[in-house]
Amino acid sequence: MTRVKFVAGNWKMNTNKAQAVELAKAVVAGAKAISGVQIGCAVPFVYVDAVGQVLNDTNVMLGAQDAYFEKNGAFTGEISVEMLKDLGAKFCLTGHSERRHVIKETPELVGKKADAIYSAGLTLVHCVGEKLEERDANKTLAVVEAQMKELQPAKLTDPSRLVIAYEPVWAIGTGRTATDAQAQEVHAFIRDLMGKMWNADFASKVRIQYGGSMKPDNAKGLMSQKDIDGGLIGGAALKADSFLKIVEAGK
Ligand code: PGA
């Protein structure tokens, strides 16, 4: 089973509008020559429109970092999946560790958001990963399994629109990357678990990205692992050249 690797930038709460447009333009310019890897940028809500205009009709997918699960109504401050679709977004994250642990989103809320994003026709990038104390207490696989169970297999039927991002919390923004083997172990577990939640064929088609201090110099090793199908890149995605080097490593 060959899965096309998917490398996405997660810009988090960074850039101003001019910087966002400039970064998007530089990514588009470099991505033109790259084929065989799916490329995306998950940008701050307020720049989805402007960046979307730059990414339109290119090989770089427009994405968002979050969305609320209701379609519209009295939800002050929230952004719906429909609104993001209206601006051309093709994928959206759920369950990023910063939303789970800093913003304190509950598993129930993450699950509702995942359902709304997939049901609206977008590609869902569902993030899972353990904290350092959970790894130290040998709870990594149990934590990841519980986060995977936020998804509803009966509703998620198209494996091409589901992406799992395994991001150990202790590796995010810390410069401390999981070793190739540490990451592969959890990726294999996730694929095996999806085989039980869906079936083996479905599981073999879902891309599982690694995220957490992925950089040009460690990207190749990670993405050469059997079950690592791309990356979700934070810090290194804020510069077009380092992001594009990681994309290249996915070829
Ligand atoms: P990082 O972030 O690459 O800066 O570690 C990854 C992420 O949180 O998606």
Side-chain angles (χ1 to χ4, degrees), residues 88-141:
K90 300 284 187 284
F91 75 97
C92 186
L93 314 184
T94 43
H96 190 278
S97 73
E98 286 140 24
R99 299 218 59 89
R100 292 180 188 275
H101 304 303
V102 182
I103 316 291
K104 308 283 183 211
E105 283 192 9
T106 62
E108 190 199 3
L109 180 58
V110 173
K112 283 183 176 169
K113 290 180 170 188
D115 181 30
I117 291 162
Y118 178 85
S119 302
L122 270 67
T123 292
L124 169 67
V125 179
H126 185 66
C127 307
V128 300
E130 81 287 2
K131 294 192 274 189
L132 185 58
E133 61 264 34
E134 293 165 336
R135 173 161 284 262
D136 288 345
N138 271 323
K139 289 188 183 148
T140 297
L141 303 182

Coordinates of all heavy atoms in Angstrom, one line a residue, residues 88-141:
G88 N -12.6 28.5 1.2 CA -11.8 27.6 0.4 C -10.9 26.6 1.2 O -10.1 25.9 0.6
A89 N -11.2 26.5 2.5 CA -10.4 25.6 3.3 C -10.7 24.1 2.9 O -11.8 23.8 2.7 CB -10.7 25.8 4.8
K90 N -9.6 23.3 2.9 CA -9.8 21.9 2.4 C -9.5 21.0 3.6 O -9.9 19.8 3.5 CB -8.8 21.6 1.3 CG -9.0 22.5 0.0 CD -10.2 22.0 -0.8 CE -10.4 22.7 -2.1 NZ -10.9 24.1 -2.0
F91 N -8.8 21.4 4.6 CA -8.6 20.5 5.8 C -8.6 21.3 7.0 O -8.5 22.6 7.0 CB -7.3 19.7 5.6 CG -6.0 20.5 5.8 CD1 -5.4 20.5 7.0 CD2 -5.4 21.3 4.8 CE1 -4.2 21.2 7.2 CE2 -4.3 22.0 5.0 CZ -3.6 22.0 6.2
C92 N -8.8 20.6 8.1 CA -8.8 21.3 9.4 C -8.3 20.4 10.5 O -8.6 19.2 10.5 CB -10.3 21.8 9.7 SG -10.4 22.7 11.2
L93 N -7.6 20.9 11.5 CA -7.1 20.1 12.6 C -8.2 20.0 13.7 O -9.0 20.8 13.8 CB -5.9 20.8 13.2 CG -4.8 21.4 12.4 CD1 -3.6 21.9 13.3 CD2 -4.2 20.3 11.4
T94 N -8.1 18.9 14.5 CA -8.8 18.8 15.7 C -7.9 18.2 16.8 O -7.0 17.4 16.4 CB -10.0 17.8 15.7 OG1 -9.6 16.6 15.1 CG2 -11.2 18.4 15.2
G95 N -8.1 18.5 18.0 CA -7.4 17.9 19.1 C -6.0 18.2 19.2 O -5.2 17.4 19.8
H96 N -5.5 19.3 18.6 CA -4.1 19.6 18.8 C -3.8 19.8 20.3 O -4.7 20.2 21.1 CB -3.8 21.0 18.1 CG -2.3 21.2 18.1 ND1 -1.6 21.7 19.2 CD2 -1.3 20.9 17.2 CE1 -0.3 21.8 18.9 NE2 -0.1 21.3 17.7
S97 N -2.6 19.4 20.7 CA -2.4 19.3 22.2 C -2.5 20.7 22.8 O -2.9 20.8 24.0 CB -1.0 18.8 22.4 OG 0.0 19.8 22.1
E98 N -2.3 21.8 22.1 CA -2.4 23.1 22.7 C -3.9 23.4 22.9 O -4.3 24.1 23.9 CB -1.8 24.2 21.8 CG -0.3 24.1 21.9 CD 0.5 24.3 20.6 OE1 0.0 24.9 19.7 OE2 1.6 23.8 20.5
R99 N -4.8 22.9 22.1 CA -6.2 23.0 22.3 C -6.7 22.1 23.5 O -7.5 22.5 24.3 CB -7.0 22.8 21.1 CG -6.7 23.8 19.9 CD -7.9 24.2 19.1 NE -8.9 24.8 19.9 CZ -8.9 26.2 20.2 NH1 -8.0 27.0 19.7 NH2 -9.9 26.6 20.9
R100 N -6.1 20.9 23.5 CA -6.5 20.0 24.6 C -6.0 20.5 26.0 O -6.7 20.6 27.0 CB -5.9 18.6 24.4 CG -6.4 17.8 23.2 CD -5.7 16.5 23.1 NE -6.1 15.7 21.9 CZ -7.1 15.0 21.8 NH1 -8.0 14.8 22.8 NH2 -7.4 14.3 20.7
H101 N -4.7 20.9 26.0 CA -4.1 21.2 27.3 C -3.9 22.6 27.7 O -3.9 22.9 28.9 CB -2.7 20.5 27.4 CG -2.8 19.0 27.1 ND1 -3.5 18.2 27.8 CD2 -2.2 18.3 26.1 CE1 -3.4 16.9 27.3 NE2 -2.6 17.0 26.2
V102 N -3.9 23.5 26.7 CA -3.8 25.0 27.1 C -5.2 25.6 27.1 O -5.6 26.2 28.1 CB -2.9 25.7 26.1 CG1 -2.8 27.2 26.5 CG2 -1.5 25.1 26.0
I103 N -6.0 25.3 26.0 CA -7.4 25.8 26.0 C -8.4 24.9 26.7 O -9.5 25.3 26.9 CB -7.8 26.0 24.5 CG1 -6.7 26.6 23.6 CG2 -9.1 26.8 24.3 CD1 -6.3 28.0 23.8
K104 N -7.9 23.7 27.1 CA -8.7 22.8 27.9 C -10.0 22.3 27.2 O -11.0 22.1 27.8 CB -9.2 23.5 29.3 CG -8.0 24.1 30.1 CD -7.2 23.0 30.8 CE -6.1 23.6 31.6 NZ -4.9 22.8 31.7
E105 N -9.8 22.0 25.9 CA -10.9 21.3 25.2 C -11.1 19.9 25.8 O -10.1 19.2 26.0 CB -10.7 21.2 23.7 CG -10.9 22.6 23.1 CD -10.9 22.5 21.5 OE1 -10.9 21.4 21.0 OE2 -10.9 23.5 20.9
T106 N -12.3 19.5 26.0 CA -12.6 18.1 26.5 C -12.6 17.1 25.3 O -12.8 17.5 24.2 CB -14.0 18.1 27.1 OG1 -15.0 18.4 26.1 CG2 -14.1 19.0 28.3
P107 N -12.4 15.8 25.6 CA -12.5 14.8 24.6 C -13.8 14.9 23.8 O -13.9 14.7 22.6 CB -12.3 13.5 25.3 CG -11.5 13.9 26.5 CD -12.0 15.3 26.9
E108 N -14.9 15.2 24.6 CA -16.2 15.2 24.0 C -16.3 16.3 22.9 O -16.8 16.1 21.8 CB -17.3 15.5 25.1 CG -18.7 15.3 24.5 CD -19.7 15.9 25.4 OE1 -19.4 16.6 26.5 OE2 -20.9 15.8 25.1
L109 N -15.8 17.5 23.3 CA -15.8 18.6 22.3 C -14.9 18.3 21.1 O -15.3 18.6 20.0 CB -15.2 19.9 23.0 CG -15.2 21.2 22.2 CD1 -16.5 21.5 21.6 CD2 -14.6 22.3 23.0
V110 N -13.7 17.7 21.3 CA -12.8 17.4 20.2 C -13.6 16.4 19.3 O -13.5 16.6 18.1 CB -11.5 16.7 20.8 CG1 -10.7 16.2 19.6 CG2 -10.7 17.7 21.6
G111 N -14.3 15.4 19.8 CA -15.0 14.5 19.0 C -16.1 15.1 18.2 O -16.3 14.8 17.0
K112 N -16.8 16.1 18.8 CA -17.9 16.8 18.0 C -17.3 17.6 16.9 O -17.8 17.7 15.8 CB -18.7 17.7 19.0 CG -19.6 16.9 19.9 CD -20.4 17.9 20.7 CE -21.5 17.2 21.5 NZ -22.0 18.1 22.5
K113 N -16.1 18.2 17.2 CA -15.5 19.0 16.1 C -15.0 18.1 15.0 O -15.1 18.4 13.8 CB -14.3 19.8 16.7 CG -14.8 20.9 17.6 CD -13.6 21.7 18.2 CE -14.0 23.0 18.9 NZ -12.9 23.8 19.3
A114 N -14.4 16.9 15.3 CA -13.9 16.0 14.3 C -15.1 15.6 13.4 O -15.0 15.6 12.2 CB -13.3 14.8 15.0
D115 N -16.2 15.3 14.0 CA -17.4 14.8 13.3 C -17.8 15.9 12.3 O -18.1 15.7 11.2 CB -18.5 14.4 14.3 CG -19.7 14.0 13.6 OD1 -19.6 13.4 12.5 OD2 -20.8 14.2 14.1
A116 N -17.9 17.2 12.8 CA -18.4 18.3 12.0 C -17.5 18.5 10.8 O -17.9 18.8 9.7 CB -18.5 19.5 12.9
I117 N -16.2 18.5 11.1 CA -15.2 18.8 10.0 C -15.3 17.7 8.9 O -15.4 18.0 7.7 CB -13.7 18.8 10.6 CG1 -13.6 20.1 11.5 CG2 -12.7 18.8 9.5 CD1 -12.4 20.0 12.4
Y118 N -15.3 16.4 9.3 CA -15.4 15.4 8.3 C -16.7 15.4 7.6 O -16.8 15.3 6.3 CB -15.2 14.0 9.0 CG -15.3 12.9 8.0 CD1 -14.2 12.5 7.2 CD2 -16.5 12.3 7.7 CE1 -14.4 11.5 6.2 CE2 -16.7 11.3 6.8 CZ -15.6 10.9 6.0 OH -15.7 10.0 5.0
S119 N -17.8 15.6 8.3 CA -19.1 15.6 7.7 C -19.3 16.7 6.7 O -20.1 16.6 5.8 CB -20.2 15.7 8.8 OG -20.1 14.6 9.7
A120 N -18.6 17.8 6.9 CA -18.8 18.9 6.0 C -18.0 18.7 4.7 O -18.0 19.5 3.8 CB -18.3 20.2 6.7
G121 N -17.2 17.6 4.7 CA -16.5 17.3 3.4 C -15.0 17.7 3.4 O -14.3 17.5 2.4
L122 N -14.6 18.2 4.5 CA -13.1 18.6 4.6 C -12.3 17.3 5.0 O -12.8 16.3 5.5 CB -12.9 19.7 5.7 CG -13.0 21.1 5.2 CD1 -14.4 21.4 4.7 CD2 -12.5 22.1 6.2
T123 N -11.0 17.4 4.8 CA -10.1 16.4 5.3 C -9.9 16.7 6.8 O -9.6 17.9 7.1 CB -8.8 16.4 4.5 OG1 -9.0 15.9 3.2 CG2 -7.7 15.5 5.2
L124 N -10.0 15.7 7.6 CA -9.9 15.9 9.0 C -8.4 15.4 9.5 O -8.0 14.3 9.1 CB -10.9 15.0 9.8 CG -10.7 14.8 11.3 CD1 -10.9 16.2 12.0 CD2 -11.7 13.8 11.8
V125 N -7.7 16.3 10.1 CA -6.4 16.0 10.7 C -6.6 15.9 12.2 O -6.7 16.9 12.9 CB -5.3 17.0 10.3 CG1 -4.0 16.6 10.9 CG2 -5.2 17.1 8.8
H126 N -6.7 14.7 12.7 CA -7.0 14.5 14.1 C -5.7 14.2 14.9 O -5.0 13.3 14.6 CB -8.0 13.3 14.3 CG -8.4 13.0 15.7 ND1 -9.3 13.9 16.3 CD2 -8.2 12.0 16.5 CE1 -9.5 13.4 17.5 NE2 -8.9 12.3 17.7
C127 N -5.4 15.1 15.8 CA -4.1 15.1 16.5 C -4.3 14.3 17.8 O -5.2 14.5 18.6 CB -3.6 16.5 16.9 SG -3.6 17.6 15.4
V128 N -3.3 13.4 18.1 CA -3.3 12.6 19.3 C -1.8 12.7 19.8 O -0.9 12.9 19.1 CB -3.7 11.2 19.0 CG1 -5.1 11.1 18.5 CG2 -2.7 10.5 18.1
G129 N -1.7 12.4 21.1 CA -0.3 12.4 21.6 C -0.3 12.5 23.2 O -1.2 13.1 23.7
E130 N 0.7 11.9 23.8 CA 0.8 11.8 25.2 C 1.7 12.9 25.8 O 2.6 13.4 25.1 CB 1.3 10.4 25.6 CG 2.9 10.2 25.5 CD 3.4 10.1 24.1 OE1 2.6 10.2 23.2 OE2 4.7 10.0 24.0
K131 N 1.5 13.2 27.0 CA 2.3 14.2 27.8 C 3.5 13.4 28.3 O 3.5 12.2 28.4 CB 1.5 14.8 28.9 CG 0.4 15.7 28.4 CD -0.2 16.6 29.5 CE -1.2 15.8 30.3 NZ -2.0 16.7 31.2
L132 N 4.5 14.1 28.7 CA 5.8 13.5 29.2 C 5.5 12.6 30.4 O 5.9 11.4 30.4 CB 6.8 14.5 29.6 CG 8.2 13.9 30.0 CD1 8.8 13.1 28.9 CD2 9.2 15.1 30.3
E133 N 4.7 13.1 31.3 CA 4.4 12.2 32.5 C 3.6 11.0 32.1 O 3.8 9.9 32.8 CB 3.7 13.0 33.6 CG 2.4 13.6 33.3 CD 2.4 15.1 32.9 OE1 3.4 15.5 32.2 OE2 1.5 15.8 33.2
E134 N 2.8 11.1 31.1 CA 2.1 9.9 30.6 C 3.0 8.9 30.0 O 2.9 7.7 30.2 CB 1.0 10.3 29.7 CG -0.1 11.1 30.4 CD -1.0 11.9 29.4 OE1 -0.7 12.2 28.3 OE2 -2.2 12.2 29.9
R135 N 4.0 9.4 29.2 CA 5.0 8.5 28.6 C 5.8 7.8 29.7 O 6.0 6.6 29.7 CB 5.9 9.2 27.7 CG 7.1 8.3 27.1 CD 7.7 8.9 25.9 NE 6.9 8.6 24.7 CZ 7.1 7.6 23.9 NH1 8.1 6.7 24.1 NH2 6.3 7.5 22.8
D136 N 6.2 8.6 30.7 CA 7.0 8.1 31.8 C 6.3 7.0 32.6 O 6.9 6.1 33.2 CB 7.5 9.2 32.7 CG 8.6 10.0 32.0 OD1 9.2 9.6 31.0 OD2 8.9 11.2 32.5
A137 N 4.9 7.2 32.6 CA 4.1 6.2 33.4 C 3.6 5.1 32.5 O 2.7 4.3 32.9 CB 2.9 7.0 34.0
N138 N 4.3 4.9 31.3 CA 3.9 3.9 30.4 C 2.4 3.9 30.0 O 1.8 2.9 29.7 CB 4.1 2.5 31.0 CG 5.5 2.0 30.8 OD1 6.1 2.3 29.7 ND2 6.2 1.4 31.7
K139 N 1.9 5.1 29.8 CA 0.5 5.3 29.5 C 0.3 5.8 28.0 O -0.8 6.1 27.6 CB -0.2 6.3 30.4 CG -0.4 5.7 31.8 CD -1.2 6.7 32.6 CE -1.4 6.3 34.0 NZ -1.5 7.4 34.9
T140 N 1.4 5.8 27.3 CA 1.4 6.4 25.9 C 0.3 5.8 25.1 O -0.6 6.5 24.5 CB 2.7 6.2 25.2 OG1 3.7 7.0 25.9 CG2 2.7 6.7 23.8
L141 N 0.3 4.5 25.0 CA -0.6 3.8 24.1 C -2.1 3.9 24.6 O -3.0 4.1 23.8 CB -0.3 2.3 23.9 CG 1.2 2.1 23.3 CD1 1.5 0.6 23.1 CD2 1.4 2.9 22.0

